[in-house]
Amino acid sequence: MIKRVLSYAIPADQGGRTVEDFLRGLGYSHRLVVHLKQTPGGILAGGESVFSTYRLHPGQVLTVTLTEEEPSRNIPPADLPLAVVYEDPDILVVNKEAGIPVHPSQGHHGNTLANAASHYFALRGEPFVYRAVSRLDRDTSGLLVLAKHMLSACSLAGQMEDRRIRRRYLAFVRGLTPDSGTVTAPIGRVPGSVIQRRVDPEQGEPACTHYSRLLYNQKKDLSLISLSLETGRTHQIRVHMASIGHPLPGDFLYCPDYRSINRQPLHSWRLEFCHPVTGKPMEFTAPLPQDMAALLPEGEEETAAWLRAAQARPEGAGEELSPEPEGGAPLTSSAAPLDSDS
């Protein structure tokens, strides 16, 4: 059984609110509140079971018990790389290696991040339900967050929907890019293909990508760029950069040039969000993986110069670019958990 207990002291300005209104303000979904109502002892006020319509009093302690009886039994554990960047009772932040799918799918049943997470928790004798809040393409490396229980999943999903989970990417692309720019072009599915996407002005969904060049490797004719997205379309970075004549080399779909690297050199290097329980701002970074670091110019005096530049310089400060023709919140309630038990 998965169990998480959270207690909240009701502040003066929250008196008179119903339990459901109070919890919804903390990121609980209506579905989760219904689940708590149906759980014996799921909602206690002053130590007594109450309904979700109960009106709270200042100074009361509201205790919520999150329980799940059924872990993810259909995900077999597999001893795969799982680089844990951060963990607490509510979330797990990992730095995914390239070549590992985030979710099981046709053709990928035992070699995914889900299987690696199953193995990780099995070694510790802990039940788990696999909830990857965001996803990365199989051959994209970098940071993503897993929710360890229903509340974390609700809160982080809400932050995703409101675009409050911010991610910055690093990528190597062919050619010398402008110093910075923005690509605004709708993206849609390539007719007849299950996975491939293209710029599609007529039927595509709106998509916007900002980028800034950090350095240029003249010998390899590759630019290292930092990117941020206003939308989250499938293959957005890969499609947008290819559409303006700067594809990612090693990309089997959009630029199958493997002279420098055998996968698309795309890395989710910075991840920011608010903790789903405490509301505290969280920020994580992950250095370039070895295969991408090998594309940096040789003889750099400051090996961390690109990172400092990426931290200091916003993306998209330059001109807005169009595809080449045929070219290819923190918790809203004032209450925070009083204490918690796992």
Side-chain angles (χ1 to χ4, degrees), residues 48-109:
E48 301 292 332
S49 287
V50 295
F51 294 107
S52 60
T53 54
Y54 174 82
R55 294 195 177 276
L56 298 163
H57 305 289
Q60 274 187 316
V61 174
L62 177 68
T63 302
V64 172
T65 301
L66 300 162
T67 58
E68 291 181 86
E69 300 289 344
E70 293 296 326
S72 296
R73 301 184 187 279
N74 59 338
I75 301 178
D79 189 5
L80 297 169
L82 186 72
V84 177
V85 176
Y86 174 84
E87 182 176 11
D88 65 24
D90 307 301
I91 59 174
L92 186 71
V93 178
V94 300
N95 182 14
K96 185 185 82 70
E97 289 191 5
I100 298 180
V102 172
H103 295 283
S105 62
Q106 185 176 359
H108 298 285
H109 297 291

Side-chain angles (χ1 to χ4, degrees), residues 83-298:
V84 177
V85 176
Y86 174 84
E87 182 176 11
D88 65 24
D90 307 301
I91 59 174
L92 186 71
V93 178
V94 300
N95 182 14
K96 185 185 82 70
E97 289 191 5
I100 298 180
V102 172
H103 295 283
S105 62
Q106 185 176 359
H108 298 285
H109 297 291
N111 63 337
T112 71
L113 189 68
N115 303 106
S118 179
H119 177 74
Y120 176 78
F121 287 104
L123 287 178
R124 304 194 306 186
E126 298 179 15
F128 93 111
V129 174
Y130 184 66
R131 295 184 174 99
V133 176
S134 57
R135 66 175 61 212
L136 297 173
D137 293 339
R138 181 192 63 194
D139 290 335
T140 298
S141 57
L143 296 166
L144 52 79
V145 58
L146 308 183
K148 294 177 72 173
H149 54 71
M150 293 179 288
L151 173 57
S152 292
C154 285
S155 175
L156 291 170
Q159 292 184 51
M160 280 284 291
E161 186 175 350
D162 296 340
R163 311 299 300 174
R164 288 184 287 124
I165 294 183
R166 291 180 290 179
R167 188 197 304 275
R168 292 173 71 180
Y169 296 85
L170 293 171
F172 278 96
V173 299
R174 289 174 56 175
L176 177 63
T177 70
D179 287 344
S180 60
T182 295
V183 184
T184 303
I187 293 176
R189 193 186 300 270
V190 171
S193 175
V194 175
I195 61 171
Q196 195 168 5
R197 301 301 195 269
R198 66 175 181 177
V199 169
D200 186 345
E202 295 183 358
Q203 298 182 340
E205 295 181 287
C208 182
T209 302
H210 305 289
Y211 73 91
S212 290
R213 174 165 45 84
L214 304 178
L215 55 82
Y216 175 61
N217 186 334
Q218 185 173 9
K219 183 176 179 180
K220 294 182 179 292
D221 190 29
L222 296 174
S223 294
L224 175 64
I225 59 174
S226 175
L227 306 107
S228 64
L229 309 180
E230 290 190 18
T231 51
R233 307 304 177 202
T234 299
H235 301 174
Q236 179 171 324
I237 289 173
R238 298 158 63 187
V239 170
H240 269 178
M241 295 312 297
S243 75
I244 61 170
H246 296 288
L248 281 65
D251 186 337
F252 76 101
L253 282 176
Y254 307 107
C255 183
D257 175 2
Y258 305 110
R259 290 173 295 176
S260 300
I261 192 169
N262 62 4
R263 57 104 174 181
Q264 71 253 12
L266 180 60
H267 179 64
S268 170
W269 80 277
R270 188 183 186 102
L271 180 64
E272 300 174 62
F273 57 90
C274 288
H275 192 280
V277 172
T278 68
K280 177 183 176 182
M282 310 290 286
E283 179 182 310
F284 304 95
T285 58
L288 279 178
Q290 186 174 0
D291 61 348
M292 288 182 64
L295 303 180
L296 291 167
E298 298 177 3

